[in-house]
Amino acid sequence: MRYLVNYILVAFLGMSFLFSGCEASDFEFDSGWDDNAADSSRVTVDTVQGIDVSMYEKARLFPGLVDTASERRIADTVVYLDLSRKYIQLGIMQEGPQSIYSSGLYAGAGELVTVYVPDNVWGLTVQVGMHTEDLTNDNIGLREPIAYYRKALYPGKNTVRFSLGGYLWVLRDQDVEGDADVPLTFCNVYAAPDFVLGKTDVREWERKVKATTVPWLELRGKNVAFSVERSQLDLYFSQRPDFAMEMEACLATWDEMLETIYRTQGFDKESDAANPQPMFPNRFVFDVQLRENKSRRSDNEQGMMLVRTASLYDDLLNIDSVADLHFINVYSMVAEKYSYFYNGVTGWEDEYFYVPLYRMNERNKEIGLEQELSDMGIDFKSTVPVALSYAEADTSKWMSSDLYTAKEEANRKKSLYLLPRVQIAEYENHYQDKPKWDIYDKLSHDRRVGNDYEGFFRELCDRYQVDFTPFYEHWGMSVSGSEREYASRYPLLDKQIWKINPLAEDPFEDVGQYETSSFRYRANRSAWKIAAWDSEGRENEDKEYKSESDWKTADNLLDGDPYSYWSSYLSPWSGGYQDSPSELPYYVVIDMGKEQVMDGFYYANGDARCISGFTLQTTDASGFGLEQHGEQEWSTVYVLEQTVDGLLKNEQFIDFPQPVTARYLRLVFDKPNLFMPNEGDEENFENFHKDRQQMFSEFGTFFINDKTI
């Protein structure tokens, strides 16, 4: 057996030690002797062994006492540490689960524990107690402010004593590596009846828990480790006859949840890959109190800490809550830990929060834990019909803004973001014979390891050789002009996959063929030139802001962003108002660079001072600068009028009676805006001509199917 030598060598500890077991002579007692003064119906004191009882009463309060008379001490036991497991740094500003090894052992309050470490094994620390939360500034008397103790371990004999006692962890320096089976010998300890998934006999475990007086133990899977009170398990045993049998399914579900998060976040499952998933378990430690009196907290040292309430215990250990995924409070701590790029590869909010939950729903349904999709904390079942109705509506929309007009905004927003992801996963499985979520996992992986990719929309089109623009438009998701042009190399998506309903017995029942012949192709505006002018021939853009990025220029009409807009010129603030520079009309003039065939145009409103309409004109003239628009002859193509009632529809398409061919366009604004003054303010409103300000967000043209840009 080989042991890796750490970079620090301590010369005087270089000698070898014989592992001959732990004799009474090995103990050294610091202070205090057991006087049998403790008083408890369950705890007595062994006066034969020397115990520091100076903190007995405080230890009785928390973390609890071991019955030293009835509980059998282990004189000599070996714990094997896998030092070949690597600590995984997830990324900049992100740390994975720390290199902590569970021992399955407990140190009694004030009792001396001896630990033997093999030669040439360095970088280890023993910790007595699981509770690392420092309550010095928040203590309300529920426990000692510092409830744990650490001591570095060196090759040979080490002793450690902590007056409060506690479960024994072994911590490893992050950069230390070694063999897979390094033995540490512990003496004068108690067995903590941990449950280890795949190793522990369920019924034997239940018997041991009921028989022990060790106050804290662990429930361990591959990816999770729960530090829990024995008394809470006793309560579960009395309340739930099958609790012990349910523990395997509970831990397996949590393990799978972390695996799902890892896959969604793009980690490699293989430990020797360039981007391996964390190799140590995510720890959840219950405590009697946390800093700032929070109910849950996370840090890099310990993991997730939870106040020992019945509801939080249920979130982790009650199979009904776990199977139904009704543990959002706890789950959110884990999701946030690993989701360092929330907007992810799609640019859709909550990508890495709700997708793993949904995937767990699918897994639980497959294995029979849950017969229908849970609400996942977002009222999913009741909001899916609303989301489907939104996607099916034959209007153009912007999801990012439309969501805020809905009732029950928060939950509907989350469902509207989640459902299109689900539909793409169903599409790739049902129509493309690919594994569900495959494209998400791949692109998340590429993103995490720094590989370049063209963006989710282009990757989606390339992967399936299909133009997904109709799907994006039905969901009101933004697609730039360059992306539209890129996707046009492929045939349009010909299935109404925005109608896929994951709640239906047949999710694809309502999915029909999409009529592509009437699809509106938006013209690529990337080469367009645009300018705005007032009636006196002056530049007409609001540039009163200090930062150029805040200017409301005409270019904003072509940027695809519903939250940027053009505004006509406003003078500096005076008396609480800004006046417009001149009388109407105002003009926005566009040079599309070449003649284009147009079947119509689209536009979107901006601020509350929305336009009441405009006249769209074209000209046969050519070769003039935009500032020379007043010298040209213009023909009216369309007169747009809108009212306040129609403004909630963010984006609208206007069909021409017949196709129009032109290079130059001019928008003429000759009517006051639709902004309504406050009651009693009409005079000032009129004096400062606020009704002349013109503002709107987007303008573009479109053509039908077989036209070319």
Side-chain angles (χ1 to χ4, degrees):
M1 184 176 299
R2 176 183 60 88
Y3 304 108
L4 184 64
V5 181
N6 199 14
Y7 59 91
I8 299 175
L9 295 179
V10 182
F12 73 91
L13 291 174
M15 60 182 297
S16 297
F17 292 84
L18 297 175
F19 295 171
S20 57
C22 305
E23 305 294 335
S25 59
D26 291 332
F27 294 103
E28 299 176 1
F29 307 114
D30 298 331
S31 63
W33 290 82
D34 184 1
D35 59 3
N36 207 24
D39 182 20
S40 172
S41 60
R42 287 199 68 180
V43 177
T44 58
V45 177
D46 184 352
T47 59
V48 176
Q49 299 284 341
I51 302 175
D52 175 3
V53 299
S54 60
M55 299 278 288
Y56 242 48
E57 290 304 317
K58 293 182 178 180
R60 189 191 311 277
L61 179 67
F62 189 91
L65 292 174
V66 179
D67 190 329
T68 59
S70 65
E71 197 75 34
R72 186 179 73 86
R73 289 185 181 87
I74 301 173
D76 189 327
T77 188
V78 178
V79 174
Y80 290 91
L81 306 184
D82 182 0
L83 298 187
S84 67
R85 275 193 285 173
K86 300 177 182 177
Y87 168 77
I88 305 299
Q89 183 80 29
L90 303 182
I92 301 174
M93 307 296 292
Q94 258 197 318
E95 294 195 18
Q98 297 299 299
S99 309
I100 299 175
Y101 298 86
S102 302
S103 69
L105 303 172
Y106 199 91
E111 300 190 38
L112 191 73
V113 173
T114 303
V115 185
Y116 287 98
V117 179
D119 288 343
N120 298 327
V121 174
W122 304 82
L124 303 181
T125 299
V126 64
Q127 177 174 312
V128 186
M130 309 158 162
H131 307 95
T132 59
E133 190 81 324
D134 185 350
L135 301 180
T136 300
N137 298 322
D138 302 87
N139 197 316
I140 56 176
L142 297 178
R143 70 165 172 81
E144 281 294 283
I146 307 297
Y148 74 102
Y149 177 71
R150 289 175 181 167
K151 187 175 183 181
L153 296 175
Y154 300 96
K157 177 183 176 182
N158 302 262
T159 59
V160 60
R161 187 200 306 269
F162 183 43
S163 55
L164 296 178
Y167 188 97
L168 289 165
W169 283 346
V170 178
L171 285 57
R172 192 196 77 194
D173 292 350
Q174 294 179 358
D175 57 347
V176 170
E177 296 181 12
D179 290 333
D181 55 353
V182 176
L184 267 61
T185 301
F186 289 81
C187 309
N188 196 44
V189 291
Y190 302 94
D194 292 357
F195 187 99
V196 182
L197 185 64
K199 296 181 180 180
T200 301
D201 179 89
V202 174
R203 291 305 182 193
E204 182 67 11
W205 172 70
E206 181 179 0
R207 185 192 65 77
K208 288 181 177 179
V209 173
K210 291 180 177 180
T212 190
T213 62
V214 170
W216 289 84
L217 55 106
E218 290 195 326
L219 313 173
R220 293 186 265 148
K222 175 189 175 188
N223 297 317
V224 296
F226 304 146
S227 299
V228 302
E229 299 165 284
R230 183 207 64 246
S231 59
Q232 181 63 39
L233 299 183
D234 285 340
L235 183 62
Y236 275 127
F237 287 138
S238 65
Q239 295 176 340
R240 302 178 63 90
D242 295 326
F243 175 72
M245 300 301 297
E246 295 167 348
M247 186 52 56
E248 286 187 324
C250 181
L251 287 173
T253 300
W254 270 104
D255 270 354
E256 183 62 28
M257 172 60 74
L258 269 298
E259 289 282 351
T260 303
I261 291 175
Y262 294 156
R263 289 196 299 273
T264 305
Q265 285 289 319
F267 291 105
D268 293 309
K269 192 169 184 177
E270 299 78 14
S271 60
D272 58 349
N275 182 48
Q277 66 184 37
M279 297 184 188
F280 286 88
N282 295 267
R283 295 188 173 273
F284 300 77
V285 180
F286 284 95
D287 203 332
V288 71
Q289 183 189 352
L290 301 179
R291 291 205 305 269
E292 302 172 350
N293 289 318
K294 292 184 176 182
S295 62
R296 59 194 187 278
R297 230 175 57 77
S298 177
D299 69 15
N300 286 329
E301 277 198 2
Q302 183 171 274
M304 276 64 74
M305 296 163 287
L306 312 166
V307 171
R308 54 178 189 183
T309 64
S311 61
L312 288 175
Y313 262 118
D314 279 350
D315 283 348
L316 262 67
L317 306 183
N318 188 326
I319 189 61
D320 294 335
S321 293
V322 176
D324 291 342
L325 304 183
H326 293 159
F327 51 22
I328 298 300
N329 287 335
V330 177
Y331 168 79
S332 63
M333 300 171 64
V334 185
E336 291 170 11
K337 179 179 180 66
Y338 293 105
S339 301
Y340 76 102
F341 44 90
Y342 271 114
N343 290 332
V345 297
T346 66
W348 296 339
E349 191 175 308
D350 297 322
E351 169 109 27
Y352 294 104
F353 191 90
Y354 290 103
V355 166
L357 278 176
Y358 186 90
R359 296 173 72 169
M360 282 301 298
N361 265 311
E362 294 180 322
R363 176 260 187 190
N364 289 350
K365 184 177 180 179
E366 289 173 1
I367 66 174
L369 282 179
E370 174 71 0
Q371 297 306 308
E372 59 180 341
L373 290 168
S374 75
D375 285 341
M376 298 177 288
I378 59 174
D379 200 21
F380 190 67
K381 283 180 281 191
S382 65
T383 56
V384 160
V386 178
L388 288 170
S389 180
Y390 174 86
E392 188 175 353
D394 189 21
T395 62
S396 292
K397 46 231 163 182
W398 270 311
M399 177 187 285
S400 55
S401 57
D402 290 347
L403 297 179
Y404 295 96
T405 66
K407 188 180 178 182
E408 300 174 358
E409 169 184 315
N411 286 341
R412 293 190 179 184
K413 173 183 176 183
K414 294 166 184 174
S415 292
L416 285 171
Y417 274 121
L418 175 61
L419 187 55
R421 299 173 175 80
V422 175
Q423 291 175 334
I424 288 177
E426 295 283 2
Y427 168 83
E428 65 180 343
N429 182 245
H430 185 79
Y431 294 107
Q432 297 290 342
D433 198 27
K434 300 282 189 182
K436 271 188 185 180
W437 307 103
D438 191 54
I439 189 171
Y440 289 94
D441 293 348
K442 175 185 179 299
L443 294 180
S444 295
H445 176 272
D446 289 348
R447 175 76 173 263
R448 183 171 287 280
V449 300
N451 293 344
D452 292 333
Y453 65 95
E454 296 289 340
F456 186 80
F457 176 78
R458 295 192 183 193
E459 292 281 351
L460 188 63
C461 296
D462 287 344
R463 185 179 180 88
Y464 301 119
Q465 306 288 286
V466 169
D467 183 348
F468 272 82
T469 302
F471 178 80
Y472 269 59
E473 287 193 346
H474 271 270
W475 277 110
M477 295 182 293
S478 181
V479 185
S480 70
S482 60
E483 287 176 327
R484 293 173 185 275
E485 190 169 28
Y486 181 90
S488 67
R489 68 188 65 188
Y490 302 122
L492 279 171
L493 177 72
D494 62 358
K495 292 189 173 51
Q496 301 168 323
I497 63 172
W498 50 88
K499 294 183 179 181
I500 293 174
N501 183 1
L503 301 180
E505 185 174 347
D506 179 6
F508 311 96
E509 181 179 5
D510 296 328
V511 178
Q513 291 295 116
Y514 175 62
E515 181 54 59
T516 61
S517 61
S518 59
F519 180 74
R520 297 183 176 109
Y521 287 91
R522 303 187 196 209
N524 186 351
R525 301 175 296 173
S526 60
W528 288 18
K529 296 178 181 179
I530 188 169
W533 312 95
D534 67 11
S535 57
E536 300 177 20
R538 297 175 300 189
E539 185 182 72
N540 195 13
E541 299 174 324
D542 184 3
K543 297 182 178 179
E544 292 302 319
Y545 295 88
K546 292 182 179 180
S547 174
E548 186 173 341
S549 61
D550 294 327
W551 291 354
K552 297 173 177 55
T553 63
D555 290 335
N556 290 339
L557 293 174
L558 310 179
D559 65 0
D561 182 357
Y563 298 107
S564 70
Y565 48 90
W566 163 72
S567 169
S568 59
Y569 170 82
L570 288 176
S571 66
W573 284 92
S574 176
Y577 294 94
Q578 295 172 289
D579 67 308
S580 298
S582 64
E583 298 293 328
L584 298 171
Y586 302 149
Y587 306 91
V588 171
V589 188
I590 298 171
D591 179 2
M592 297 184 290
K594 61 180 180 180
E595 282 196 344
Q596 300 193 24
V597 179
M598 299 166 286
D599 289 309
F601 67 92
Y602 62 93
Y603 75 101
N605 293 297
D607 193 81
R609 300 176 184 84
C610 291
I611 59 173
S612 58
F614 57 79
T615 298
L616 179 63
Q617 301 176 328
T618 63
T619 181
D620 292 330
S622 62
F624 62 91
L626 298 183
E627 73 280 359
Q628 299 172 311
H629 71 96
E631 304 170 13
Q632 318 305 321
E633 296 244 351
W634 295 88
S635 303
T636 295
V637 176
Y638 195 91
V639 178
L640 172 71
E641 296 181 354
Q642 65 174 3
T643 63
V644 173
D645 293 339
L647 298 184
L648 291 180
K649 189 174 180 182
N650 287 301
E651 189 178 47
Q652 300 186 65
F653 282 77
I654 305 297
D655 293 294
F656 292 145
Q658 58 188 17
V660 173
T661 301
R663 170 178 172 177
Y664 296 92
L665 302 173
R666 186 169 76 165
L667 286 63
V668 183
F669 303 87
D670 56 3
K671 298 181 179 63
N673 64 47
L674 296 175
F675 183 77
M676 303 298 293
N678 296 324
E679 186 175 354
D681 200 31
E682 291 83 356
E683 182 178 355
N684 284 330
F685 179 85
E686 182 64 28
N687 288 340
F688 285 88
H689 308 294
K690 286 189 72 173
D691 60 338
R692 296 180 187 170
Q693 185 185 12
Q694 304 292 316
M695 306 177 69
F696 78 121
S697 175
E698 286 291 308
F699 178 86
T701 62
F702 67 82
F703 54 91
I704 304 296
N705 199 32
D706 59 350
K707 308 290 193 309
T708 58
I709 296 178

